[in-house]
């Protein structure tokens, strides 16, 4: 009995197990960063970003032909990289939009017999605001390179990495949301749908506007930084000051303004967005000049590469190390 009492503090200090999945209840210390040999290729990052932000897609507004072309491209990306559809197809038609629009949802099953019952959700929104009423120098297309073709590209690269490496113990849902610019419609629809199906969500890592770097002592900021220990764990996993707190993010309540909030609201687990748009480094928010030519694909490649150890450990930790504060 004394031995049990002595061990109890260590158990309580371990990470929180999921109520429906019992895995090792004691946290494994991460003494050194997770090492990743995989190299993200800037040329492939640039190719995806360039197409998604091209004039051909006419700003990817939900319900338009441009959105349809973007969706087809992302479907093919999943197929090429052996990422399976989670539903009967990759297309999850949203129920809260007057037209026809759909999230694109891919799935990689975890390789651990217990942990695969938990899900990590990695996401970005692929829609944008379409055509402008008033053009600038004859340009009417809101290409949305930074917002959020950049985040979509990062999620695509992470899907490619996990599919090739097959390192994930947890299952991973890769989601390209539609309707974000219409009021988070795609994520609201999917969060409700998955909740009704008993979806076992561990955490969501949402990527929003990473096309240009910040001049700060950290690579990116995390919205809702104080709500969970995700930021601290990401930095532990990467061994760098990868994410930090941006006061402007709190001031403008960015936590509530991207697709992470829909899942936080429904599942009440750590669901947060990471971004490098800091209100000082990019002047073309919702502007026709948000184009491929002003994106820094070298920075984007660095961002994806630096965050790979974090998402890898999020998918593989033996218990739920990331939790609400």
């Amino acid at each position: 009995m004394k031995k049990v009492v002595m061990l109890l503090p260590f158990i309580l200090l371990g990470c929180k197990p999921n109520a429906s999945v019992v895995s090792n209840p004691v946290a494994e210390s991460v003494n050194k960063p997770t090492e990743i040999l995989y190299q993200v290729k800037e040329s492939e990052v640039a190719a995806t970003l360039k197409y998604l932000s091209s004039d051909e897609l006419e700003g990817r507004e939900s319900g338009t032909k441009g959105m349809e072309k973007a969706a087809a491209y992302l479907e093919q990306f999943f197929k090429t990289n052996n990422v399976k559809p989670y539903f009967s197809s990759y297309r999850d038609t949203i129920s809260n939009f007057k037209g026809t629009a759909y999230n694109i949802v891919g799935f990689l099953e975890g390789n651990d017999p217990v942990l695969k019952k938990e899900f990590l959700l990695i996401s970005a929104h692929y829609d944008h605001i379409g055509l402008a009423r008033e053009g600038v120098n004859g340009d009417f297309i809101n290409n949305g390179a930074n917002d959020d073709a950049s985040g979509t590209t990062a999620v695509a690269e992470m899907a490619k990495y996990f599919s090739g490496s097959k390192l994930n113990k947890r299952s991973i849902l890769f989601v390209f949301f539609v309707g974000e610019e219409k009021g988070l419609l795609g994520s609201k629809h999917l969060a409700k749908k998955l909740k009704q199906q008993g979806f076992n969500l561990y955490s969501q890592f949402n990527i929003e506007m990473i096309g240009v770097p910040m001049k700060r002592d950290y690579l990116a900021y995390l919205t809702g930084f104080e709500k969970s220990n995700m930021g601290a764990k990401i930095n532990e996993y990467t061994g760098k000051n990868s994410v930090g707190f941006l006061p402007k993010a709190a001031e403008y309540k960015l936590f509530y303004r991207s697709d992470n909030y829909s899942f936080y609201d429904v599942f009440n687990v750590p669901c947060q967005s990471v971004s490098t748009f800091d209100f000082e480094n990019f002047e073309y928010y919702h502007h026709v000049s948000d184009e491929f030519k002003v994106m820094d694909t070298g920075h984007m490649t660095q961002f994806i590469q630096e965050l790979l150890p974090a998402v890898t450990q999020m998918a593989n930790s033996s218990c739920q190390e990331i939790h609400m504060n």
Side-chain angles (χ1 to χ4, degrees), residues 217-269:
D217 62 356
Y218 48 87
L219 176 67
Y221 64 89
L222 197 68
T223 65
F225 193 89
E226 74 290 347
K227 293 184 180 297
S228 80
N229 70 336
M230 183 185 290
K233 297 305 292 187
I234 287 174
N235 291 340
E236 179 182 320
Y237 297 154
T238 64
K240 299 180 180 180
N241 197 20
S242 297
V243 298
F245 169 72
L246 183 74
K248 281 284 186 183
E251 178 184 344
Y252 286 96
K253 299 182 179 180
L254 298 188
F255 176 79
Y256 303 94
R257 294 173 59 182
S258 193
D259 292 307
N260 62 281
Y261 179 68
S262 301
F263 281 81
Y264 168 80
D265 186 46
V266 170
F267 286 90
N268 194 31
V269 299

Side-chain angles (χ1 to χ4, degrees), residues 28 65 100 102 121 132 154 169 181 202 229 280 287 321:
E28 292 181 355
K65 292 181 179 179
T100 301
Y102 23 80
L121 197 163
K169 293 181 180 180
E181 302 286 5
Y202 165 42
N229 70 336
E280 298 174 7
H287 191 283
E321 294 183 342

Side-chain angles (χ1 to χ4, degrees), residues 49 52-53 60 125 143-154 300:
L49 177 65
L52 290 175
S53 58
R60 308 185 311 276
H125 72 90
N143 300 84
N146 199 21
D147 187 12
D148 188 28
S150 65
T152 300
T153 298
M300 288 178 57

Side-chain angles (χ1 to χ4, degrees), residues 79-134:
K79 290 176 184 177
T80 300
N81 290 284
N82 299 311
V83 178
K84 298 178 180 180
Y86 182 69
F87 301 112
S88 59
S89 76
Y90 293 108
R91 301 189 178 194
D92 168 46
T93 303
I94 65 175
S95 58
N96 49 5
F97 180 66
K98 64 180 180 181
T100 301
Y102 23 80
N103 301 315
I104 303 300
V105 185
F107 165 64
L108 285 179
E109 185 177 20
N111 58 34
D112 183 274
V114 175
L115 289 175
K116 71 178 183 180
K117 298 174 185 178
E118 300 176 4
F119 278 82
L120 171 64
L121 197 163
I122 302 177
S123 61
H125 72 90
Y126 76 97
D127 68 305
H128 195 51
I129 60 174
L131 301 178
R133 292 183 179 180
E134 297 182 7

Side-chain angles (χ1 to χ4, degrees), residues 107-309:
F107 165 64
L108 285 179
E109 185 177 20
N111 58 34
D112 183 274
V114 175
L115 289 175
K116 71 178 183 180
K117 298 174 185 178
E118 300 176 4
F119 278 82
L120 171 64
L121 197 163
I122 302 177
S123 61
H125 72 90
Y126 76 97
D127 68 305
H128 195 51
I129 60 174
L131 301 178
R133 292 183 179 180
E134 297 182 7
V136 177
N137 297 323
D139 185 1
F140 290 84
I141 300 174
N142 291 296
N143 300 84
N146 199 21
D147 187 12
D148 188 28
S150 65
T152 300
T153 298
V155 172
E157 286 295 318
M158 289 179 178
K160 182 195 302 181
Y161 155 73
F162 275 111
S163 177
S165 67
K166 297 179 173 59
L167 288 175
N168 55 300
K169 293 181 180 180
R170 289 185 173 85
S171 295
I172 306 178
L173 208 65
F174 299 97
V175 183
F176 302 117
F177 291 115
V178 76
E180 193 268 358
E181 302 286 5
K182 303 291 186 184
L184 313 182
L185 296 185
S187 56
K188 287 179 179 177
H189 159 88
L190 186 60
K192 180 180 178 181
K193 179 177 180 177
L194 291 175
K195 183 69 171 180
Q196 291 173 342
Q197 296 179 357
F199 188 75
N200 189 6
L201 180 62
Y202 165 42
S203 183
Q204 179 190 13
F205 185 76
N206 189 61
I207 306 177
E208 179 79 63
M209 299 181 70
I210 60 158
V212 292
M214 304 184 296
K215 295 179 180 179
R216 300 179 186 274
D217 62 356
Y218 48 87
L219 176 67
Y221 64 89
L222 197 68
T223 65
F225 193 89
E226 74 290 347
K227 293 184 180 297
S228 80
N229 70 336
M230 183 185 290
K233 297 305 292 187
I234 287 174
N235 291 340
E236 179 182 320
Y237 297 154
T238 64
K240 299 180 180 180
N241 197 20
S242 297
V243 298
F245 169 72
L246 183 74
K248 281 284 186 183
E251 178 184 344
Y252 286 96
K253 299 182 179 180
L254 298 188
F255 176 79
Y256 303 94
R257 294 173 59 182
S258 193
D259 292 307
N260 62 281
Y261 179 68
S262 301
F263 281 81
Y264 168 80
D265 186 46
V266 170
F267 286 90
N268 194 31
V269 299
C271 299
Q272 290 164 266
S273 291
V274 64
S275 179
T276 66
F277 164 67
D278 67 358
F279 301 90
E280 298 174 7
N281 59 354
F282 189 70
E283 60 184 328
Y284 300 128
Y285 174 73
H286 283 196
H287 191 283
V288 296
S289 295
D290 180 5
E291 298 182 326
F292 174 78
K293 65 183 180 182
V294 297
M295 295 292 96
D296 186 335
T297 56
H299 155 71
M300 288 178 57
T301 303
Q302 178 197 356
F303 171 94
I304 299 164
Q305 189 73 54
E306 186 164 324
L307 271 297
L308 284 185

